[in-house]
Amino acid sequence: MSGLPRYAAMLATAGALPADSAAWAYEVKFDGIRAIGYVQRELRLVSRNGNDVTAAWPELADLAPAVPPIVVDGEIVAFAADGRTSFAALQPRMHQRNPAMIRALTRSVPATYLIFDLLHIGDRPLIDLPYEQRRGLLEQLGLRGPSWRIPPRLTGTGADVLAESARLGLEGIVCKRLDSPYLPGRRSPLWTKVKNVNDQEIVIVGWRPGAGRRAGRIGSLLMGVHDETGELVYIGNVGTGFTQAMLDDLQARLRPLRRQAPTVAAPVKDAIWVEPELVGEVSFTERTGDGRLRHPSWRGLRPDKTPDEVEVPGRADSALDS
């Protein structure tokens, strides 16, 4: 990435629809992997946790070269048969690093890079410009190819856009203030995500053995998040939403992480504890009064996230709220 500065992704805060709808732009909340793209003679893709993931997505390589060079922000997604982005469909590709397998997966599970922000062009950083101006400059670049494009801005009031996203079965929307700068590495309510479904990133802290068809295997995963003090706390277990392939993969990944002592206080007698190193994501119906997740369902591992990023809702950086 010679000649281009490194940028961390700006993050959205979960919240409600803005009251002053006209001051905001609206985008679909895509269900994929966030990646900053450095486009020079070649493309480099860097995940949210700073890992170079370029090799995993060879179909995006032809986004380069770019003259002048640019830095963009976007989401790598896979589309299901119904046209919606599918996190489950993306799962086989998120962990794969074998070149032959990657080439095969580009045919069976093709990826698309949805580019929604422009952070740098030539020798000029753009992050201090308002979102509306950055978006206009991005659209002038005409970035559209077989595996990348700029998703459309959504028109209408926030309430109308959210209602339409729910009707289409989408995860939700992201609201971005038209005058907002890009704040690298910061979570700010200048970008607000409003969801139609609940989801939560979790740290796997252990598992419970299965019974019946899952005898001798994982029955459920024990989940933790960091509370307001930074301590890892137990928020329940998840035992649904798994495919057999997912369970086999989890068993292989968790076996070498086993430990004797728990890392959270949990009323679980038959737990097999692990080092809190793997991050996953679940969907759920609601939170109970004691912070547990009701009816959680497994969505998949998140190799693009680190355990220290997994927090209870509301523990966002609010230093720039004003």
Side-chain angles (χ1 to χ4, degrees):
M1 292 181 290
S2 175
L4 290 174
R6 187 76 168 255
Y7 291 100
M10 179 175 174
L11 306 176
T13 298
L17 285 171
D20 52 341
S21 187
W24 296 75
Y26 303 97
E27 301 174 359
V28 170
K29 185 183 185 303
F30 297 110
D31 208 4
I33 300 172
R34 189 78 171 274
I36 302 293
Y38 299 83
V39 194
Q40 302 181 89
R41 294 181 62 184
E42 296 180 340
L43 172 68
R44 291 290 180 269
L45 293 166
V46 178
S47 69
R48 254 190 61 181
N49 52 2
N51 292 330
D52 188 323
V53 296
T54 311
W57 314 102
E59 65 266 56
L60 308 183
D62 287 344
L63 180 57
V67 180
I70 57 175
V71 181
V72 295
D73 188 3
E75 195 95 357
I76 300 171
V77 304
F79 286 99
D82 60 7
R84 291 180 291 180
T85 57
S86 169
F87 188 67
L90 202 62
Q91 282 288 302
R93 298 202 56 180
M94 291 175 69
H95 318 291
Q96 187 55 248
R97 293 298 179 266
N98 179 288
M101 288 298 297
I102 289 172
R103 286 193 296 272
L105 286 168
T106 60
R107 297 187 291 271
S108 60
V109 189
T112 301
Y113 190 29
L114 299 177
I115 302 167
F116 50 69
D117 216 321
L118 179 64
L119 313 187
H120 197 102
I121 185 166
D123 59 0
R124 182 187 177 193
L126 306 179
I127 58 176
D128 290 334
L129 296 180
Y131 163 83
E132 187 171 29
Q133 190 172 348
R134 296 195 314 276
R135 176 74 191 212
L137 292 170
L138 174 64
E139 291 172 351
Q140 289 177 30
L141 295 178
L143 300 178
R144 185 170 183 85
S147 301
W148 59 88
R149 63 176 180 265
I150 301 168
R153 287 187 269 187
L154 306 177
T155 59
T157 67
D160 290 342
V161 169
L162 183 64
E164 180 66 7
S165 75
R167 187 187 72 79
L168 294 173
L170 302 177
E171 184 180 355
I173 62 174
V174 180
C175 315
K176 298 181 178 179
R177 275 197 65 94
L178 295 173
D179 60 358
S180 65
Y182 191 96
L183 305 173
R186 305 295 295 270
R187 188 181 297 278
S188 170
L190 295 173
W191 287 10
T192 298
K193 54 187 176 183
V194 185
K195 299 181 181 181
N196 296 313
V197 296
N198 295 313
D199 58 50
Q200 172 71 54
E201 294 161 8
I202 60 95
V203 180
I204 301 173
V205 296
W207 80 82
R208 297 183 67 185
R213 289 183 298 174
R214 290 195 193 171
R217 311 174 68 84
I218 293 173
S220 63
L221 297 176
L222 307 182
M223 305 180 292
V225 297
H226 292 98
D227 66 12
E228 292 82 356
T229 69
E231 181 180 356
L232 197 60
V233 296
Y234 176 68
I235 58 168
N237 63 303
V238 54
T240 62
F242 301 100
T243 65
Q244 191 60 55
M246 288 178 177
L247 289 171
D248 291 343
D249 181 61
L250 284 164
Q251 192 100 33
R253 292 174 184 275
L254 292 172
R255 187 177 294 114
L257 299 179
R258 289 180 62 165
R259 55 177 288 158
Q260 292 299 315
T263 55
V264 298
V268 183
K269 294 182 178 180
D270 58 348
I272 298 170
W273 303 103
V274 298
E275 297 291 343
E277 296 183 8
L278 295 183
V279 176
E281 186 171 301
V282 298
S283 60
F284 64 99
T285 56
E286 62 181 343
R287 298 179 195 276
T288 64
D290 58 357
R292 306 288 170 83
L293 304 187
R294 192 183 301 279
H295 306 307
S297 179
W298 181 251
R299 302 191 68 209
L301 286 170
R302 297 300 312 233
D304 56 326
K305 306 293 176 70
T306 58
D308 59 354
E309 294 181 272
V310 178
E311 306 170 339
V312 294
R315 197 185 155 212
D317 181 0
S318 59
L320 296 169
D321 288 6
S322 59

